[in-house]
Amino acid sequence: GAGVSQSPSNKVTEKGKDVELRCDPISGHTALYWYRQSLGQGLEFLIYFQGNSAPDKSGLPSDRFSAERTGGSVSTLTIQRTQQEDSAVYLCASSLTGTEQYFGPGTRLTVT
Amino acid sequence: AQSVTQPDIHITVSEGASLELRCNYSYGATPYLFWYVQSPGQGLQLLLKYFSGDTLVQGIKGFEAEFKRSQSSFNLRKPSVHWSDAAEYFCAVGTLIQGAQKLVFGQGTRLTINP
């Protein structure tokens, strides 16, 4: 079946602009996660959604970052007023309750 | 707070040789442990996982890992590597919260295969 998909695959934006990154999880998966992978920081947890529970936003690096998940499926990660340090690969993953996560191919964000 | 250490940033082995990638974790309870592989430009693929039970777990692509509680380790092994195994390998520990696994990753080990 279809895996986790992310769009766009690459995004180049100017400093100060807002960006939206999209994640389509595997159908039926209840949990959805966002991670950031950068050279200096490795793989960092950002946020997760689990069913109807309030999302765990503990990994979001600043209030410029936000995410939502509509209808328990698609999720959008929004970065406002982008900075150069936001340049990274943003990975989305999904899982069934309590099980392993399946990752998408990522969105490479470059802030110029 | 949980943490994961992968002591080797880069390992080079010859094709056909055996492989062991080290992973040490810090976690107060019985951990959920994972190994993921990332090929260049790709996302993360799950190789294997340990939740409970048999401490030697088998994964895809001929990989296995052994959970050793006394050493807080979960090392990844393969008896004979293939050129296609060249990639970056990540060990992770998960915390189960309300049905979701919150993962903490190690810094990764880059594997190079010599022909």
Side-chain angles (χ1 to χ4, degrees):
Chain A
V4 178
S5 61
Q6 294 185 244
S7 60
S9 55
N10 281 282
K11 177 72 176 179
V12 180
T13 190
E14 292 179 354
K15 177 182 172 181
K17 294 288 181 68
D18 297 353
V19 295
E20 286 189 350
L21 312 179
R22 177 188 168 103
C23 173
D24 282 272
I26 294 172
S27 177
H29 278 193
T30 53
L32 185 147
Y33 312 78
W34 285 97
Y35 296 86
R36 179 169 71 174
Q37 186 173 26
S38 55
L39 279 176
Q41 301 297 321
L43 272 157
E44 306 171 88
F45 164 81
L46 296 177
I47 185 171
Y48 79 74
F49 300 85
Q50 167 60 19
N52 294 321
S53 302
D56 179 338
K57 305 178 182 180
S58 60
L60 295 178
S62 78
D63 59 7
R64 297 185 296 104
F65 288 72
S66 63
E68 63 177 19
R69 188 179 186 191
T70 54
S73 180
V74 171
S75 176
T76 303
L77 177 69
T78 301
I79 308 173
Q80 296 178 310
R81 304 180 303 282
T82 51
Q83 304 294 312
Q84 288 187 329
E85 61 263 28
D86 299 334
S87 295
V89 176
Y90 290 82
L91 293 167
C92 175
S94 69
S95 74
L96 293 169
T97 301
T99 66
E100 64 272 22
Q101 297 174 31
Y102 294 86
F103 283 79
T107 293
R108 180 175 297 278
L109 175 65
T110 304
V111 181
T112 62
Chain B
Q2 58 268 39
S3 65
V4 177
T5 301
Q6 293 180 246
D8 304 305
I9 296 173
H10 185 203
I11 283 182
T12 299
V13 299
S14 298
E15 189 169 15
S18 64
L19 173 70
E20 182 169 27
L21 301 183
R22 296 183 291 164
C23 172
N24 293 95
Y25 66 89
S26 172
Y27 188 65
T30 299
Y32 297 89
L33 295 163
F34 307 83
W35 275 99
Y36 284 88
V37 61
Q38 186 177 36
S39 298
Q42 304 295 313
L44 295 166
Q45 182 183 21
L46 179 69
L47 284 176
L48 46 77
K49 63 183 185 287
Y50 172 78
F51 283 5
S52 66
D54 193 346
T55 56
L56 183 63
V57 293
Q58 302 296 322
I60 62 171
K61 305 184 179 186
F63 285 93
E64 66 177 27
E66 186 171 12
F67 169 58
K68 293 186 177 180
R69 184 188 302 276
S70 61
Q71 298 177 19
S72 297
S73 69
F74 188 57
N75 294 348
L76 182 71
R77 302 193 294 250
K78 186 170 185 177
S80 176
V81 297
H82 185 263
W83 63 267
S84 60
D85 293 325
E88 187 137 23
Y89 292 78
F90 293 92
C91 181
V93 62
T95 305
L96 191 61
I97 303 174
Q98 294 183 324
Q101 284 278 2
K102 188 173 176 180
L103 294 181
V104 173
F105 287 89
Q107 288 294 97
T109 297
R110 185 160 60 92
L111 176 64
T112 299
I113 308 294
N114 282 337

